[in-house]
């Protein structure tokens, strides 16, 4: 995205996109697309197609033009276009060379989820298969959409398709009817069913070798069979009776066609020698259910697999029990965000819908490196987070807990868990071990990781809270649009009857770092800033959002703050001048911004339900 000039003095620029992981589903294969030039690989998450650099996965690009959830994306052999298919049956063919990814063609070959796509080697014909209502597949010319044959011969959903990359062309498909089908063409015509007596369960993946001499089918029965690429005759079964103990979800051939890798629900990836039909290496990926392997890709020297967790593993032939690297991150929508500096480096902490907390490091050679805390963490949506002065990440979750996790030890601790009576939705911290948890119908004051005081039987519904950095006041915003100011007296919160008015039901609030201001966002699209020293008088009201404002964050300079709304807008405001603002429209194209945090006074971080993290450079 280019610089956006708002006036002669202010602009913004997207500096870095930290992409989401693939969106995974148990028992469902994940197709990875490889770049014919060998630079990038493709996968999908929600309505996004993610293009990642295979040598440096921190470099990513996101395509967001599908109106429905995208299921598969594949490069044309020319490398100039990508075809991506979604759950509605739409195929979009778009340019890879320009940053804008201009749409070339769009087709609807059938109505229903597209599960796999294949191109002919001249990049002129496309086959797609899936869960159509009248038919389960189609093959057509890329530039006109005209049919070049039909994909028939199956009685159920087709999971996988591939086209031989050498002439004479052949097409293969694999289906939930436990069969594969072999086609000659073009125009492609059904020749015969394969694997009728071979696979006893769903055929999950079919793939031709790059030289076209062979193809293989992989099934939910743990079997992989090899066939002649030209005639479709069966050659052998890999590994004898069974290739894997669990279902096989994906296979990918080596560039020289002599070997292939297979990914299985038995939590292993195997490297096969095709000539001897034996496994040369077994990569053990773990013992947890999330270590099931649902996708793989062999590209040049890189062997990739994808776990049910969404983690992308770079396999090491010389050390099969430890990947060269594992790409971590979020695969579910991000709900909360904070930033912390430690040892001269900045870290971005983000919490997602499934309770996962990701640590993203910035600076030096580690920019874009994702990590997580070891041990068992939250089991449900992480609603809010902050780092306190003891270097603890304080998080609250829909699992009815507030956690205190050391950012230096990077390990969840059962002893640093505080159970709440009801679900917490907002948490804030202040110096001296103070924390304020706003729960449904309750406000809990914590000190040194212990509950010390509870406000309940309230005559309003608390929505958000903030403790003054000096620890003197706890502000609680309600659904009635009032912000009540409680004085902190030892281990109690004293209601002295003092409150101020927001413009509508409060959604988020925060004190500036120096404690001079309190900013409050509300459902009526307004941000109100109060001056603390002037008895919480209104400093300014900030208008601009077209929908409910949901999140805000103060800049370290205490002169600016950012707000994000349901209108997908991010505004950066100047406290002393309500008319001076920097607008970032469509910060995340598909969803509203769920979290905001500042690295420094010129660097803003945003998160969204697209599971990606974006870093912006701002100039005032």
């Amino acid at each position: 995205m280019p610089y956006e000039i708002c006036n002669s003095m202010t602009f913004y620029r997207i500096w870095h996109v930290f992409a989401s992981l693939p969106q995974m589903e148990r028992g469902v294969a994940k197709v990875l697309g490889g770049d014919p030039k060998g630079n990038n690989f493709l996968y999908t998450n929600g309505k996004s197609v993610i293009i990642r650099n295979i040598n440096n996965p921190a470099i990513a690009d996101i395509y967001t033009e599908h109106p429905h959830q995208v299921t598969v994306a594949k490069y044309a052999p020319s490398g100039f276009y990508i075809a991506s298919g979604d759950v509605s049956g739409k195929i979009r063919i778009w340019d890879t060379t320009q940053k804008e990814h201009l749409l070339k063609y769009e087709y609807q070959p059938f109505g229903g989820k597209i599960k796999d796509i294949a191109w002919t080697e001249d990049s002129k014909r496309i086959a797609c298969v899936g869960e159509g209502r009248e038919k389960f597949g189609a093959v057509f010319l890329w530039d006109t959409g005209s049919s070049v044959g039909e994909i028939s011969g199956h009685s159920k959903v087709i999971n996988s398709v591939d086209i031989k990359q050498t002439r004479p062309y052949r097409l293969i498909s694999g289906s939930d009817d436990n069969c594969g089908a072999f086609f000659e063409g073009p125009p492609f015509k059904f020749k015969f069913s394969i694997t009728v007596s071979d696979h006893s369960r769903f055929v999950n993946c079919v793939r031709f070798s790059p030289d076209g001499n062979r193809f293989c089918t992989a099934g939910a029965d743990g079997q992989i069979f090899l066939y002649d690429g030209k005639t479709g005759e069966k050659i052998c079964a890999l590994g004898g009776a069974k290739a894997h103990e669990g279902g096989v979800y994906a296979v990918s051939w080596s560039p020289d066609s002599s070997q292939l890798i297979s990914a299985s629900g038995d939590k292993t990836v195997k490297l096969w020698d095709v000539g001897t039909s034996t496994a040369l290496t077994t990569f053990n990926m773990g013992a947890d259910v999330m270590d099931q392997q649902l996708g793989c890709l062999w590209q040049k020297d890189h062997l990739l697999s994808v776990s049910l967790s969404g983690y992308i593993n770079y396999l090491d032939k010389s050390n099969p029990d430890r990947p060269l690297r594992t790409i971590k991150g979020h695969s579910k929508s991000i709900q909360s965000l904070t930033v912390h500096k430690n040892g001269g480096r900045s870290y971005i902490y983000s919490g997602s819908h499934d309770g996962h907390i990701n640590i993203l490091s910035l600076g030096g050679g580690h920019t874009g490196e994702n990590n997580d805390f070891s041990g068992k963490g939250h089991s449900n949506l992480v609603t809010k987070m902050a780092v306190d002065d003891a270097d603890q990440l304080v998080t609250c979750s829909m699992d009815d807990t507030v956690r205190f996790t050391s950012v230096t030890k990077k390990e969840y601790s059962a002893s640093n868990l505080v159970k709440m009576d009801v679900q917490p939705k907002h948490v804030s911290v202040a110096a001296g071990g103070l924390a304020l948890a706003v729960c449904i119908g309750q406000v809990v004051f914590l000190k040194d990781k212990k509950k010390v005081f509870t406000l309940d039987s309230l005559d309003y519904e608390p929505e958000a809270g903030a403790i003054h950095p000096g620890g003197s006041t706890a502000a609680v915003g309600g659904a009635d649009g009032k912000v009540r100011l409680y004085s902190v007296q030892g281990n109690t919160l004293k209601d002295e009857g003092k409150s101020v008015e927001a413009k509508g039901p409060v959604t988020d609030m925060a004190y500036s770092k120096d404690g001079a201001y309190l900013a409050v966002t509300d459902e009526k699209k307004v941000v109100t800033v109060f001056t603390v020293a002037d008895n919480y008088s209104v400093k300014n009201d900030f208008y601009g959002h077209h929908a409910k404002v949901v999140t805000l964050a103060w800049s370290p300079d205490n002169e600016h703050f950012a707000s994000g709304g349901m209108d997908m807008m991010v505004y950066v405001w100047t406290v002393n001048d309500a008319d001076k603002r920097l607008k970032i429209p469509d910060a995340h194209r598909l969803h509203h911004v769920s979290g905001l945090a500042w690295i420094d006074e010129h660097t803003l971080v945003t998160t969204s339900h697209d599971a990606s993290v974006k870093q912006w450079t701002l100039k005032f």
Side-chain angles (χ1 to χ4, degrees), residues 143 332 537:
D143 55 351
K332 303 276 195 322
S537 64

Side-chain angles (χ1 to χ4, degrees), residues 77 119-123 125 162-171 182-186 188 208-215 228-231 255 257:
W119 294 75
T120 50
E121 44 75 40
D122 58 5
S123 302
R125 300 170 193 84
D162 204 18
I163 296 173
K164 186 164 161 279
Q165 294 296 292
T166 53
R167 291 171 186 272
Y169 288 149
R170 299 286 184 265
L171 185 148
F182 188 78
F183 301 78
E184 292 180 350
F188 291 98
F208 275 103
S209 59
D211 63 11
N213 291 338
R214 295 185 179 94
F215 68 87
D228 182 279
K230 198 170 171 186
T231 65
S257 302

Side-chain angles (χ1 to χ4, degrees), residues 54-174:
I54 202 159
N55 294 311
N56 181 4
I59 300 170
D61 193 6
I62 305 177
Y63 177 79
T64 55
E65 297 301 315
H66 275 272
H68 302 282
Q69 184 187 335
V70 199
T71 43
V72 60
K74 288 277 191 76
Y75 272 98
S78 68
F80 295 133
Y81 293 96
I82 289 169
S84 51
D86 64 29
V87 293
S88 75
K90 280 247 169 44
I91 294 253
R92 291 176 72 88
I93 302 165
W94 41 279
D95 172 85
T96 62
T97 58
Q98 307 296 316
K99 196 74 182 151
E100 293 75 33
H101 301 307
L102 297 173
L103 180 69
K104 186 77 174 169
Y105 302 108
E106 184 179 69
Y107 302 113
Q108 177 120 22
F110 52 82
K113 184 195 287 187
I114 290 176
K115 298 194 78 172
D116 202 7
I117 291 170
W119 294 75
T120 50
E121 44 75 40
D122 58 5
S123 302
K124 290 186 174 161
R125 300 170 193 84
I126 295 174
C128 62
V129 296
E131 298 179 9
R133 284 183 280 277
E134 304 83 29
K135 57 182 182 177
F136 303 121
V139 54
F140 54 89
L141 290 172
W142 86 294
D143 55 351
T144 64
S146 305
S147 173
V148 278
E150 67 174 322
I151 297 178
S152 56
H154 288 293
S155 58
K156 290 185 178 170
V157 171
I158 303 178
N159 298 313
S160 187
V161 68
D162 204 18
I163 296 173
K164 186 164 161 279
Q165 294 296 292
T166 53
R167 291 171 186 272
Y169 288 149
R170 299 286 184 265
L171 185 148
I172 46 169
S173 57

Side-chain angles (χ1 to χ4, degrees), residues 376-434:
K376 190 161 172 46
H378 287 296
S379 59
N380 207 330
L381 189 152
V382 183
T383 44
K384 206 76 181 171
M385 53 172 59
V387 178
D388 67 12
D389 59 347
D391 287 347
Q392 295 178 117
L393 182 69
V394 185
T395 53
C396 68
S397 162
M398 281 186 174
D399 62 12
D400 297 351
T401 64
V402 172
R403 276 184 178 274
F404 296 81
T405 310
S406 166
V407 298
T408 46
K409 287 185 184 163
K410 293 190 171 69
E411 188 179 356
Y412 292 114
S413 163
S415 62
N416 293 336
L417 176 78
V418 183
K419 285 195 161 41
M420 297 283 138
D421 303 329
V422 285
Q423 190 176 296
K425 44 192 174 182
H426 203 281
V427 73
S428 67
V429 296
L434 303 182

Side-chain angles (χ1 to χ4, degrees), residues 1-2 4 11-18 570 572 582-589 593 595-607 613-619:
M1 192 180 288
E4 172 95 356
F11 59 69
Y12 69 88
R13 182 187 180 192
I14 186 151
W15 188 249
H16 216 123
V17 175
F18 301 104
V570 172
V572 180
L582 176 63
K583 181 169 91 171
I584 306 177
D586 285 342
H588 294 253
R589 281 291 311 278
V593 172
L596 293 162
W598 295 76
I599 306 274
D600 56 46
E601 45 262 46
H602 293 293
T603 313
L604 183 67
V605 179
T606 60
T607 57
V613 178
K614 292 186 178 181
Q615 184 181 334
W616 306 82
T617 300
L618 314 174
K619 189 168 179 190

Side-chain angles (χ1 to χ4, degrees), residues 207-235:
R207 291 293 180 258
F208 275 103
S209 59
D211 63 11
N213 291 338
R214 295 185 179 94
F215 68 87
C216 65
T217 64
D221 54 6
Q223 301 263 54
I224 302 172
F225 294 104
L226 278 183
Y227 303 85
D228 182 279
K230 198 170 171 186
T231 65
E233 284 175 36
K234 184 173 159 187
I235 300 171

Side-chain angles (χ1 to χ4, degrees), residues 265-268 284-293:
D266 66 8
K267 311 178 190 76
T268 68
N284 295 300
M285 304 309 295
D288 192 81
V289 67
M290 300 307 277
D291 296 317
Q292 293 184 359
Q293 302 300 298

